DNA sequence: GTCTATATACGGATAGAC
DNA sequence: GTCTATCCGTATATAGAC
């Protein structure tokens, strides 16, 4: 069901979201005005409301899209048998998914405070599903006898924080390739949890 | 040189900063107004300007005080000989310092974007000194042959992100004591970097 | 040192013309 | 679908009375 190529709403909607994502990542949701977003796209502020009912929904949609894409990509991971292999897949997947999306990571982890309570609950539930996926792998490894840690839930949170923290220092023009980063972090993760 | 106990500016200044810290941690710098801060303290907005020249300086002072206290406390750590012992001291220190200060951690890591360029550079330099302290320990451990990791600098960043991430899930009324958290994380850190 | 009042600017969101 | 114009609320910061 391809739409007409020339359709404006097909192209302007994404441009609005791209501009909003970039500006919010840089300055923060509360510090960015609808006028700024409109200016970035090259339109007037009033026209934005053809693409979002309000500013809050625009933020929510950005975060929701990120989490939906993350969970969908996670689902496509090959489900290997051994926990160690599954943990390596998860670790490399997390890095490969997040490193090319610094703005989404920034917004998704920094703007939770600015979501309405209902929207927050929805994002939080999706994040929880992601954390649980890692926790499942860790528990499987414990059951196998391959992993050993003091607290499985806390370890899952610790590993995700460590991996997501890459966005604190990573620069696309820096000295490290994504593949190298994967190797460094997988070494840390593996040693931290194995017996 | 003790000042008079009844002096107002000795007591109101800290109250302003406490209120600002709490509100900014909860809602974000850009979302909090000077009127809100004043209301929390029980004064009018104009009176705040007896305690800070402007809102930006108020934010900067909160972050600067946190970093100064962190570096001062770090300096007081006993300097043991073996790298493994020093790493354990650092790990437990980081947790013990940050866990009771969730608002400072939140503000210091989330509001960097809202600092003026000059203020940002000063905070960043202090943060860098803290990261370097950990990196020094890791290098010492490598020289000893006690530690082994793929990239020392990246590992320092990874460990700090993992430890600071405690603030993402820790609740004072939760199931875990600070001592237990230290044990869990020290186990992960030790295994991740030792040979 | 705190108040009230105010200068000045900008915010989100909407109405109606084209 | 986009524009201009505007409603109405709130922002930071300052001035001057007490």
């Amino acid at each position: 069901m391809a739409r007409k190529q020339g359709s404006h709403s097909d192209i302007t909607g994404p441009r609005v979201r791209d501009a909003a994502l970039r500006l919010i990542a840089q300055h923060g949701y509360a510090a960015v005005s609808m006028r700024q977003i409109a200016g970035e796209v090259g339109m007037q502020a009033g026209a934005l409301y053809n693409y979002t009912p309000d500013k809050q929904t625009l933020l929510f949609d950005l975060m929701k899209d990120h989490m939906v894409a993350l969970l969908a990509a996670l689902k496509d991971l090959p489900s290997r048998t051994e926990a160690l292999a599954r943990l390596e897949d998860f670790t490399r997947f997390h890095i490969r998914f997040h490193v090319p999306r610094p703005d989404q990571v920034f917004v998704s982890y920094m703007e939770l405070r600015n979501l309405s309570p209902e929207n927050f609950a929805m994002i939080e539930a999706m994040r929880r599903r992601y954390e649980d996926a890692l926790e499942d792998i860790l528990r499987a490894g414990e059951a196998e006898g391959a992993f050993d840690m003091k607290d499985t839930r806390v370890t899952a949170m610790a590993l995700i924080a460590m991996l997501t923290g890459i966005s604190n220092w990573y620069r696309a023009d820096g000295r490290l390739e994504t593949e190298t980063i994967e190797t460094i972090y997988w070494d840390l993760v593996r040693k931290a949890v194995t017996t």
Side-chain angles (χ1 to χ4, degrees), chain A residues 99-187:
Chain A
V99 161
R101 293 172 173 81
D103 287 348
Q104 281 96 332
V105 173
F106 225 71
V107 170
S108 291
Y109 288 76
M110 308 276 262
E111 302 297 352
L112 288 166
R113 288 177 302 189
N114 290 306
L115 289 173
S116 69
E118 304 78 25
N119 289 342
F120 177 81
M122 280 187 273
I123 297 296
E124 205 52 22
M126 286 191 273
R127 179 194 308 281
R128 175 78 194 206
R129 283 177 53 198
Y130 188 71
E131 294 162 0
D132 287 349
L134 174 56
E135 195 180 344
D136 283 348
I137 296 172
L138 296 180
R139 291 205 187 281
E142 281 178 315
E144 282 178 20
F147 296 168
D148 182 48
M149 65 213 84
K150 307 274 188 196
D151 186 298
T152 316
R153 180 70 195 167
V154 169
T155 299
M157 302 300 284
L159 295 182
I160 287 176
M162 184 172 81
L163 296 175
T164 306
I166 293 170
S167 65
N168 294 335
W169 58 263
Y170 175 80
R171 297 293 173 266
D173 58 356
R175 68 181 165 98
L176 298 174
E177 304 289 333
T178 304
E179 169 62 29
T180 310
I181 297 171
E182 286 180 36
T183 304
I184 296 168
Y185 276 81
W186 167 235
D187 183 63

